Amino acid sequence: MPTPSMEDYLERIYSLIEEKGYARVSDIAEALEVHPSSVTKMVQKLDKDKYLIYEKYRGLVLTPKGKKIGKRLVDRHSLLEEFMRIIGVDESHIYQDVEGIEHHLSWESITCIEYLVQYFQADPVRMAELQRIRQEDEQKEE
């Protein structure tokens, strides 16, 4: 099982490959705001653990295992962002909040959140009712 740090790298590598068709050490370093030497060390570790294949000066390719986990991590991140929107978290806080919680939730909790998101998305009336409850509560506080 990958560590939270490994998950961050796999998620970013998967996203870069989906967006650009490739992921270079410099792209990963820029995206994660770390030094290229840190990326190289992690990429070597991910290679050793068979999440990707890394050839110095030639780049990297995700293995089927790495692709599967990378997609799952990207999907988890997207799901949590959508959940935050549904419950009314200000857009300016969503990314940082998701980054703060995504590694601390079990996959069982993620699945339960997924059901809750589906429940609210299935019926706009439910979304409106949740927003009404929130607005009423905010008015009470004023």
Side-chain angles (χ1 to χ4, degrees):
M1 212 47 197
T3 65
S5 181
M6 292 167 79
E7 286 183 349
D8 284 339
Y9 278 84
L10 286 168
E11 182 180 351
R12 180 53 52 205
I13 291 167
Y14 181 87
S15 294
L16 285 167
I17 291 173
E18 287 294 302
E19 292 166 19
K20 299 170 73 171
Y22 60 89
R24 297 179 307 206
V25 168
S26 59
D27 298 324
I28 300 164
E30 183 180 332
L32 294 174
E33 299 178 350
V34 297
H35 292 285
S37 60
S38 298
V39 174
T40 300
K41 287 178 189 172
M42 180 58 80
V43 165
Q44 290 169 342
K45 183 171 177 45
L46 292 169
D47 180 271
K48 180 178 165 260
D49 291 347
K50 304 203 183 318
Y51 292 107
L52 55 81
I53 300 166
Y54 173 66
E55 294 180 25
K56 194 172 184 177
Y57 305 118
R58 296 194 63 188
L60 57 93
V61 177
L62 288 170
T63 62
K65 174 182 172 181
K67 283 181 188 175
K68 180 180 177 182
I69 290 180
K71 180 175 180 354
R72 189 174 187 196
L73 296 170
V74 167
D75 291 347
R76 173 183 72 183
H77 191 100
S78 297
L79 172 70
L80 291 173
E81 284 185 349
E82 185 59 25
F83 173 68
M84 294 290 181
R85 284 184 190 95
I86 287 171
I87 63 173
V89 174
D90 187 271
E91 197 67 36
S92 65
H93 298 291
I94 290 176
Y95 182 81
Q96 199 62 36
D97 286 354
V98 170
E99 285 295 310
I101 66 169
E102 66 184 340
H103 302 295
H104 301 285
L105 295 172
S106 68
W107 286 104
E108 179 184 1
S109 294
I110 297 294
T111 300
C112 291
I113 290 170
E114 184 175 21
Y115 293 142
L116 188 62
V117 166
Q118 290 172 3
Y119 172 80
F120 280 105
Q121 289 177 334
D123 185 355
V125 174
R126 294 175 188 150
M127 293 284 286
E129 181 66 13
L130 180 62
Q131 290 170 350
R132 184 192 60 75
I133 291 168
R134 184 170 182 211
Q135 287 171 348
E136 285 177 3
D137 192 53
E138 287 172 356
Q139 289 172 351
K140 287 177 189 175
E141 291 176 8
E142 293 174 1

